[in-house]
Amino acid sequence: MSEHLYKIAVLAGDGIGPEVMGEAVKVLRAAEARHGFTLELNESPVGWAGIDADGKALPDATLELCRGSDAILFGSVGLPDRDPTIPKEERPERAALLALRKIFGLFANLRPVRLPTELAHACPLKAERQGEGIDLLVVRELTGGMYFGQPKTTETLDDGQQRAIDSMVYTTSEIERIAHVGFKSAQLRRKKLMSIDKANVLENGVLWREVVTRVAADYPEVELDHMFVDNASMQLLLNPAQFDVMLCENTFGDILSDEAAALAGSLGMLPSASLGETEGDKTFGFYEPAGGSAPDIAGQNLANPIAQILSAALMLRHSLGENDAAAAIESAVGKAVTDGLRTGDIFNADDPNARQVGTTEMGDAIAAAV
Ligand code: IPM
Ligand code: MG
């Protein structure tokens, strides 16, 4: 295999997944031509598309494809109205998404949230609360905590009641490795890390704070602060500009990243990366838009492809080391926004510079700029 040939598992999934993935592929092909590398893009079904094709949300062939790839570019899975009777273990959210996170040890989830000044209208906060601008990164631990901790069960008690148990479990090493990701991310940004916990109540919170504080000694140039999660959820609304990197355990990061995403006006703009351990110079990763499958707008050329396109840029940077191509895609997205191109989710009729476009037109413009 040549240095510059990369194998990518392309799992578009359900709802708007295939449409926005089509645009990301278009943009990747443009980057490939311009930046001198070759992508072998192999598509395979996942989610309801996997159930339809092969009886399960993560077909064996899809998993095998992922195992043989340098990275996974993922669309979205889940169609809430499809079949409410399917057992919970077989639902795409658990059987595909959580399964892939666990199988590939994708413990570090990066969710950058940025509100471009041109889209300040889309932010639900008043202008004065937006402060100097919203530009933060949620670093979420993704394979521990209540999502996977044991015991995890629902049992029937002697008196006939049911009791559900989810266990919040973290070991020192799990906290350490995500803390390193948090500090390293902060080093590349504004050098401020806010560690989020609930150390006033939870054993997990006490350990989290101790370990993060210890890891901080390796990063003297990064300013570390701690905040309780309830206060953090409030501070995001009162003064989001205070945050640079927010370091969270799994459940807190799930909740705070949705809250932070709302500040950027549209989920359709936000990419994410889920990374495993770095081995040698390789980091296997899974790249997906922050928004869901949005079945209500699927198939109508309405979806915003930017989150999927920026996820592809994160893939180029974190798993393939193609930093120039990643930056080129990011600036092409910036250009499309500055030029006034707007899918419906970010359109503002009062902005004389704004022009409403469909999914494909947005993708074409970004690919052309790359
Ligand atoms: C996310 C999603 C998932 C999660 C769901 C779909 C299982 O909300 O990626 O944030 O809770 O992690
Ligand atoms: Mg979530």
Side-chain angles (χ1 to χ4, degrees):
M1 196 171 97
S2 111
E3 271 278 275
H4 302 292
L5 170 68
Y6 308 108
K7 289 184 162 189
I8 311 300
V10 177
L11 315 185
D14 305 321
I16 59 170
E19 286 167 81
V20 292
M21 187 66 83
E23 302 313 306
V25 167
K26 212 184 258 176
V27 172
L28 281 172
R29 289 296 183 211
E32 182 184 43
R34 181 79 179 68
H35 292 270
F37 56 86
T38 307
L39 298 172
E40 184 185 314
L41 302 175
N42 297 302
E43 295 179 21
S44 200
V46 72
W48 284 102
I51 293 174
D52 289 339
D54 199 42
K56 41 187 190 172
L58 182 59
D60 297 346
T62 299
L63 181 56
E64 278 317 302
L65 174 68
C66 294
R67 288 194 200 282
S69 300
D70 295 305
I72 302 172
L73 187 60
F74 194 87
S76 53
V77 294
L79 298 173
D81 299 334
R82 227 334 258 278
D83 178 6
T85 67
I86 182 175
K88 57 184 190 287
E89 302 76 25
E90 294 174 25
R91 295 197 71 83
E93 291 83 347
R94 285 205 197 185
L97 200 54
L98 295 193
L100 284 166
R101 287 177 187 170
K102 199 65 186 178
I103 292 167
F104 290 101
L106 305 170
F107 69 94
N109 182 219
L110 310 183
R111 299 188 165 180
V113 173
R114 212 172 65 79
L115 177 70
T117 42
E118 298 94 330
L119 299 183
H121 66 85
C123 177
L125 298 184
K126 292 180 193 146
E128 65 262 30
R129 292 252 185 253
Q130 295 175 22
E132 303 284 283
I134 300 168
D135 182 0
L136 61 90
L137 173 70
V138 178
V139 174
R140 170 188 175 194
E141 202 290 331
L142 203 59
T143 51
M146 282 196 282
Y147 276 63
F148 296 98
Q150 294 296 331
K152 186 178 190 68
T153 170
T154 305
E155 58 199 17
T156 305
L157 302 178
D158 291 344
D159 66 0
Q161 287 193 77
Q162 289 204 294
R163 178 166 69 179
I165 303 175
D166 296 281
S167 308
M168 189 175 198
V169 183
Y170 273 104
T171 60
T172 307
S173 59
E174 285 175 313
I175 302 171
E176 271 168 7
R177 65 181 183 175
I178 193 69
H180 282 289
V181 174
F183 281 105
K184 289 194 171 113
S185 304
Q187 273 180 328
L188 298 172
R189 296 174 46 100
R190 300 194 303 278
K191 303 189 173 49
K192 281 172 51 178
L193 184 71
M194 185 64 80
S195 176
I196 310 299
D197 64 44
K198 188 73 184 170
N200 49 350
V201 178
L202 301 178
E203 294 293 315
N204 269 273
V206 174
L207 184 63
W208 184 273
R209 197 173 279 218
E210 275 173 22
V211 174
V212 173
T213 303
R214 217 156 52 220
V215 172
D218 293 353
Y219 304 90
E221 69 283 28
V222 175
E223 179 191 327
L224 169 67
D225 277 304
H226 305 272
M227 200 178 262
F228 295 139
V229 62
D230 48 349
N231 185 29
S233 72
M234 180 170 75
Q235 293 300 325
L236 269 174
L237 301 183
L238 295 179
N239 179 16
Q242 73 186 286
F243 296 110
D244 179 15
V245 178
M246 301 177 85
L247 175 66
C248 312
E249 67 84 42
N250 203 342
T251 305
F252 296 165
D254 178 44
I255 298 168
L256 292 183
S257 63
D258 263 28
E259 188 187 349
L263 301 177
S266 171
L267 278 176
M269 301 288 294
L270 302 178
S272 80
S274 303
L275 309 176
E277 304 272 9
T278 300
E279 282 157 22
D281 62 347
K282 288 233 174 286
T283 305
F284 188 80
F286 173 102
Y287 301 85
E288 66 174 331
S293 56
D296 52 321
I297 57 163
Q300 299 165 56
N301 198 33
L302 290 174
N304 188 342
I306 289 180
Q308 187 77 61
I309 291 168
L310 290 175
S311 298
L314 291 180
M315 175 181 83
L316 290 170
R317 177 171 300 120
H318 292 284
S319 285
L320 310 184
E322 295 289 345
N323 296 332
D324 292 349
I329 291 176
E330 286 160 353
S331 60
V333 167
K335 179 175 189 310
V337 172
T338 309
D339 288 350
L341 269 63
R342 303 279 185 270
T343 43
D345 55 320
I346 52 174
F347 181 67
N348 173 12
D350 296 335
D351 178 353
N353 181 41
R355 185 162 63 84
Q356 194 163 356
V357 298
T359 310
T360 51
E361 197 176 347
M362 183 69 96
D364 286 342
I366 296 168
V370 167

